[in-house]
């Protein structure tokens, strides 16, 4: 998928809802250091990163785009660095894969027939899980590689 970094000042973060481990924002507006404005639409952020999103925060904001959603995975300011990637969909795909694999194999062992729904869901999860994982690994590499970046005070 894709990752990027935006250097600037957080102007607004309109929280839509916050659940156990993620926050969903209607929009996040960042004023770029070089001028201009970056407006992120619906944005998924893990709560440790969401806690660092206060209007007026100046630094580097790390974005990602996954299969079905976009968000922020890190914030680096002059005095702190916060990284966390929301893994809900990645974990969900593992559960879908395991449950449907058991259902598929159980059906074959029970009456010798393969069911189409669990077969389709096993294929879907086997394709989508690596894509979610790839995005997470890519975000982690980006954040770690940028650890020595100088953030303007």
């Amino acid at each position: 998928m894709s990752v990027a970094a935006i250097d600037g000042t957080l102007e607004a973060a309109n929280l839509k809802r916050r659940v156990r481990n993620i926050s969903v924002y209607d929009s996040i507006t960042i004023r770029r250091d070089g001028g201009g404005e970056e407006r992120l639409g619906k944005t998924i952020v893990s709560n440790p990163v969401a806690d660092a999103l206060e209007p007026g925060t100046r630094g580097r904001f790390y974005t990602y785009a996954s299969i079905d959603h976009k968000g922020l995975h890190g914030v680096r300011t002059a005095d702190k660095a916060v990284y966390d990637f929301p893994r809900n969909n990645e974990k969900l795909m593992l559960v879908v894969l395991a449950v449907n694999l058991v259902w598929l194999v159980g059906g074959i062992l029970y009456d010798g027939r393969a069911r189409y729904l669990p077969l389709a869901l096993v294929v879907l999860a086997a394709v989508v899980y690596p894509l979610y994982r790839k995005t997470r690994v890519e975000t982690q590499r980006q954040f770690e590689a940028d650890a020595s970046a100088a953030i303007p005070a």
Side-chain angles (χ1 to χ4, degrees):
M1 301 299 116
S2 65
V3 295
I6 303 169
D7 290 327
T9 304
L10 182 67
E11 295 221 334
N14 302 320
L15 182 65
K16 182 177 182 178
R17 72 177 173 271
R18 183 177 177 115
V19 293
R20 185 176 53 88
N21 60 344
I22 63 168
S23 295
V24 179
Y25 289 87
D26 280 329
S27 66
I28 294 177
T29 306
I30 301 169
R31 171 94 33 213
R32 288 185 175 272
D33 286 345
E37 188 174 273
E38 186 80 24
R39 185 174 185 280
L40 308 173
K42 183 179 177 186
T43 306
I44 310 296
V45 182
S46 64
N47 285 339
V49 176
D51 293 340
L53 296 179
E54 296 178 20
T57 300
R58 185 163 193 260
R60 182 166 291 156
F61 301 88
Y62 298 90
T63 65
Y64 70 90
S66 189
I67 299 168
D68 59 346
H69 62 279
K70 298 176 182 177
L72 289 175
H73 66 85
V75 175
R76 191 180 303 277
T77 64
D79 59 337
K80 66 180 171 183
V82 181
Y83 167 85
D84 197 28
F85 185 80
R87 296 183 63 183
N88 293 6
N89 291 349
E90 184 180 352
K91 291 176 183 176
L92 177 65
M93 284 302 112
L94 282 178
V95 170
V96 168
L97 180 64
V99 167
N100 285 287
L101 197 56
V102 168
W103 185 12
L104 180 65
V105 171
I108 292 170
L109 293 176
Y110 178 69
D111 62 6
R113 292 186 7 229
R115 276 113 179 117
Y116 293 119
L117 179 61
L119 178 62
L121 291 173
V122 163
V123 170
L124 174 74
V127 169
V128 173
Y129 169 75
L131 295 175
Y132 282 129
R133 185 178 185 288
K134 179 181 177 278
T135 302
R136 178 178 51 84
V137 169
E138 200 174 318
T139 63
Q140 192 170 8
R141 282 188 188 145
Q142 178 202 28
F143 193 79
E144 289 171 357
D146 206 27
S148 63
I151 305 300

